[in-house]
Amino acid sequence: MSTKAYIVPLDPQNPVSSVAPSIDTAALWAKLPPSQKLTKVGSSYLFYGTPGRDVAALASLGEGFANKTGNECRERVRKAVGSGVKKVKAFGEGISEAIVDISQDPHAAAVAAHLALYDFTLKTSPPSAFDPRGKEPAPEKLRITASGSSPEFDRGVVYATAQNFARTLMELPANIVTPTAFTERAKAEFQGINNVEIFVRDEDWAAEKGMRTFLSVTKGTNEPAKFLEIHYRGAPSPDDQPLAFVGKGITFDSGGISLKPGAGMKLMRGDMGGAATVVASMLAIAKLQLPINAVAVTPLCENLPGPSANKPGDVVYAMNGKSVEIDNTDAEGRLVLADALYYASTQFKPHTVIDVATLTGAMDVALGDVYSGVFTTSDKLWEQLHAAGEVEYDRFWRMPLDEDYGPQINSSNADLCNTGGRPGGACTAALFLKSFVDGIEAKDGAEATVRWAHLDIAGAMEFTRPTAYQEKGMTGRPVRALVEFARRLSGVQA
């Protein structure tokens, strides 16, 4: 007889749930030891040997839950469900199914359960689901199911599994996720999804397009660069203007000639986090079949100090014709994004462009792993991103995009310099990128034709400490916020 686990988020003032007729949650709550009264949000306790040999993980929604609404309520549900799943996961062998009480918030419960269940490992015993040698996926150790049928739960599963896909891409080492392997994994994930078209471009194509800043970064490695392009056409008309995502895809960043310190350099396997998150966001948008058109482009390459690598002081001419001095080869992300932003904004004529990048250490210093930094030319776009981030607790903080930072990057012998010194490092990086987005400047009295936002996720890319519903490691953020932004943009109701 298989053992089931029930994940039950409960209000301490009214610890009643009907998730399992055989489990009296109020009676179990009354049996809690004095030291385990579960008043704190996300605290949980595991009961063994309930009727039918099942296990119940009671998780607290915190005192005063009945008075909470909206985003705070959702986050409490996420913390409670995530804590319960972690308790069951730590129980070990013997439990094959975890049934989640979704009565409080089906979407939030689904998100938390699937994020909390995720554990990345390449250990071979027991077999890892992430082993790249595996021809068949490893069997699920624990299956998450809902306490009832709910479209909102199903949608939450899509949000969470997309984020987990981004986490996997970021966690896998750079010898496994090369630019070529990244594109192959992306194609495999989109297999069989309607309204999707994928193009994988090579270096010759990029050279024909004049993507010299992008190609300059890949000169130090023998690994071929790729330019991945994903189209999703879900709008009523295929000619409707798309939403465009651009993701930084440095599959390993050593810093090039401006070599990074060796300590912690292995973290730079995640420097393609921007590419991972925009591809994963597109995956969720396509799975949900949202009624919008969207396109994602990701320039993918390594940044290594080979004999042909960029040298400090080199000058290259970007796709839009601007000259760029490479003051520091470790500021390579803005070089690959420059050509990708210009290509996306001119080729597809989008109404909105959002680029995502693990771009600057300055952003990590400023915001840590709590917020992703946003630089944008549009107040309305900021409001929409902010609202989506708050709903998913995948939060953003607006940063200054001000021309007064300009002298730091436009006072060299070229039109632009790829670094502006330590002061305002994230701000000068964003201002650099702004120069390559076509259509964001108002002309001849007309409004700008493109809204643009730059998301610097250098801090948000990794959790250095576990949260209630995620372990330490690569986060896959801000996938959920971007999918929620796209869903709201499409007009699909919650």
Side-chain angles (χ1 to χ4, degrees), residues 1-6 51-55 94-97 143:
M1 181 177 179
S2 63
T3 300
K4 294 180 181 179
Y6 292 89
R53 294 181 61 246
D54 292 333
V55 170
I95 300 176
S96 59
E97 182 181 11
R143 184 165 59 96

Side-chain angles (χ1 to χ4, degrees), residues 443-459:
K443 295 180 180 178
D444 302 323
E447 292 185 0
T449 58
V450 174
R451 308 185 307 169
W452 167 68
H454 160 59
L455 278 51
D456 192 334
I457 62 168

Side-chain angles (χ1 to χ4, degrees), residues 117-141:
L117 187 62
Y118 180 92
D119 265 326
F120 179 85
T121 180
L122 288 177
K123 293 182 182 295
T124 56
S125 182
S128 167
F130 306 98
D131 189 334
R133 303 169 304 170
K135 295 180 180 179
E136 298 292 335
E140 277 186 335
K141 296 179 184 176

Side-chain angles (χ1 to χ4, degrees), residues 212-236:
R212 288 170 287 271
T213 53
F214 166 41
L215 291 176
S216 76
V217 175
T218 196
K219 293 190 301 179
T221 178
N222 290 328
E223 196 66 52
K226 299 292 180 181
F227 193 93
L228 177 64
E229 194 174 306
I230 302 172
H231 295 260
Y232 167 71
R233 296 178 179 88

Side-chain angles (χ1 to χ4, degrees), residues 463-477:
F463 279 137
T464 57
R465 57 194 185 280
T467 71
Y469 50 93
Q470 282 199 228
E471 304 290 359
K472 292 195 299 182
M474 300 298 182
T475 66
R477 293 170 59 200

Side-chain angles (χ1 to χ4, degrees), residues 420-438:
R422 287 177 60 85
C427 301
T428 54
L431 200 61
F432 179 95
L433 295 178
K434 181 184 175 185
S435 299
F436 299 93
V437 186
D438 189 66

Side-chain angles (χ1 to χ4, degrees), residues 234-238 240 291-293:
S237 169
D240 285 358
I292 59 171
N293 292 338

